[in-house]
């Protein structure tokens, strides 16, 4: 019960890794806000969490929109009284088509950065006053190993996650005096139920060859690290980016 009576907002929690976070946080005693752009998926996950004995509500949110994000935080405070934990999990990823950077349109670039970078910024900005009032907070941002590998044909995604990594360091400095920690996770090779057409079998073989652990990542591999950063187990850590990457070789 590492998160007993804590209130946690998890964005992008309607499926995949975010859904796993919702269940794991509830099992650890948190009151969970399942936030997602897809209202039906958010409600379904929240109902499943409640049916399993947890406490959860569903909130529809577009993280790229300031008013929508503020409404999410307001709904959380109305339901549970405060916010202790924010997991910035929502991102544009699985639907992206890999292409040379010259072929990425301005519209596609803006869409990816609006969700992945601006969305993280807006969510942090919206919860900060509540956390500052509490003199306590745990913010966990999700970056990516591609920031270090510079994966080709993914320039918009790499740039968006690089911004998340940098923002984590900046906010850790600004929020630390109020007892708020800000850390990020850099995952690699995590497979979810969400279809992805960006990696072929041959590419997977090459990826696994560069890993110390010779297997694909599972959703459960992300849960432990995220719970660690969301709980008081990591209370003396901030401004850090934790690699959950199977020992990926970056050089």
């Amino acid at each position: 019960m590492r998160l007993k009576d804590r209130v946690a907002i998890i964005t992008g929690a309607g499926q995949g890794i975010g859904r796993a976070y919702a269940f794991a946080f509830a099992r650890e005693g948190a009151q969970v806000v399942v936030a997602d752009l897809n209202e039906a998926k958010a409600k379904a996950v929240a109902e499943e969490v409640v049916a399993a004995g947890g406490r959860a509500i569903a909130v529809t949110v577009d993280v790229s929109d300031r008013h929508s994000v503020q409404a999410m935080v307001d709904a959380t405070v109305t339901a549970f009284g405060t916010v202790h934990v924010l997991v910035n999990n929502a991102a544009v990823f699985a639907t992206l088509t890999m292409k040379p950077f010259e072929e990425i349109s301005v519209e596609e670039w803006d869409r990816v950065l609006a969700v992945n970078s601006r969305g993280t910024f807006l969510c942090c900005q919206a919860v900060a006053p509540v956390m500052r009032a509490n003199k306590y907070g745990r913010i966990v941002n999700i970056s990516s190993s591609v920031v270090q590998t510079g994966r080709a044909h993914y320039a918009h995604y790499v740039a968006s996650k690089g911004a998340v990594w940098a923002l984590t360091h900046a906010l850790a400095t600004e929020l630390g005096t109020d007892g708020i920690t800000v850390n990020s996770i850099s995952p690699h090779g995590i497979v979810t139920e969400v279809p992805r057409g960006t990696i072929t079998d041959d590419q997977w073989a090459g990826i696994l060859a560069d890993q110390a652990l010779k297997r694909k990542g599972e959703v459960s591999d992300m849960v432990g690290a995220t719970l660690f950063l969301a709980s008081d187990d990591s209370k003396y850590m901030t401004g850090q980016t934790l690699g959950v990457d199977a020992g990926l070789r970056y050089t």
Side-chain angles (χ1 to χ4, degrees):
M1 301 295 284
R2 284 177 289 176
L3 300 176
K4 181 175 172 55
D5 297 327
R6 298 298 190 196
V7 177
I9 296 174
I10 304 170
T11 67
Q15 62 182 356
I17 298 171
R19 179 179 180 275
Y21 290 156
F23 282 97
F25 277 47
R27 286 193 298 269
E28 290 287 342
Q31 301 165 82
V32 178
V33 177
V34 180
D36 201 281
L37 182 63
N38 188 310
E39 181 179 7
K41 288 185 176 181
K43 286 183 176 179
V45 172
E47 289 170 0
E48 288 180 271
V49 170
V50 172
R55 296 184 64 187
I57 63 168
V59 176
T60 306
V61 64
D62 175 357
V63 297
S64 69
D65 180 82
R66 179 172 62 86
H67 299 292
S68 182
V69 169
Q70 187 58 56
M72 173 187 69
V73 174
D74 291 344
T76 301
V77 173
T78 297
F80 296 128
T82 190
V83 182
H84 300 106
V85 179
L86 167 66
V87 180
N88 279 308
N89 175 69
V92 175
F93 174 56
T95 58
L96 294 178
T97 301
M98 297 180 69
K99 63 186 71 173
F101 84 95
E102 297 97 331
E103 297 178 13
I104 297 174
S105 68
V106 171
E107 292 76 17
E108 185 173 1
W109 174 274
D110 287 347
R111 181 173 66 90
V112 173
L113 269 75
V115 175
N116 297 3
S117 305
R118 186 170 75 215
T120 298
F121 164 74
L122 289 174
C123 290
C124 291
Q125 194 174 58
V127 301
V130 183
M131 291 182 174
R132 278 183 156 146
N134 292 336
K135 293 295 181 180
Y136 180 93
R138 299 284 179 266
I139 296 175
V140 184
N141 298 326
I142 308 300
S143 182
S144 173
S145 64
V146 298
V147 177
Q148 290 170 279
T149 62
R151 187 179 176 191
H153 297 171
Y154 237 7
H156 42 4
Y157 185 72
V158 175
S160 72
K161 289 301 186 177
V164 170
W165 194 325
L167 180 65
T168 296
H169 295 284
L171 296 189
T173 303
E174 291 199 35
L175 296 173
T177 54
D178 287 305
I180 302 165
T181 65
V182 188
N183 293 289
S184 66
I185 295 176
S186 175
H188 160 76
I190 307 296
V191 178
T192 74
E193 81 278 11
V194 182
R196 283 175 59 189
T198 57
I199 303 179
T200 66
D201 290 341
D202 287 343
Q203 288 171 328
W204 264 119
I207 289 169
L208 294 174
D210 285 336
Q211 296 177 187
L213 303 176
K214 307 300 182 182
R215 68 171 176 85
K216 298 177 182 179
E218 302 170 354
V219 170
S220 59
D221 293 321
M222 288 290 293
V223 170
T226 306
L227 282 171
F228 170 67
L229 293 178
S231 72
D232 287 344
D233 287 351
S234 59
K235 62 185 177 181
Y236 201 58
M237 282 180 62
T238 196
Q240 304 302 305
T241 296
L242 186 63
V244 181
D245 58 11
L248 181 66
R249 184 172 64 243
Y250 289 103
T251 56

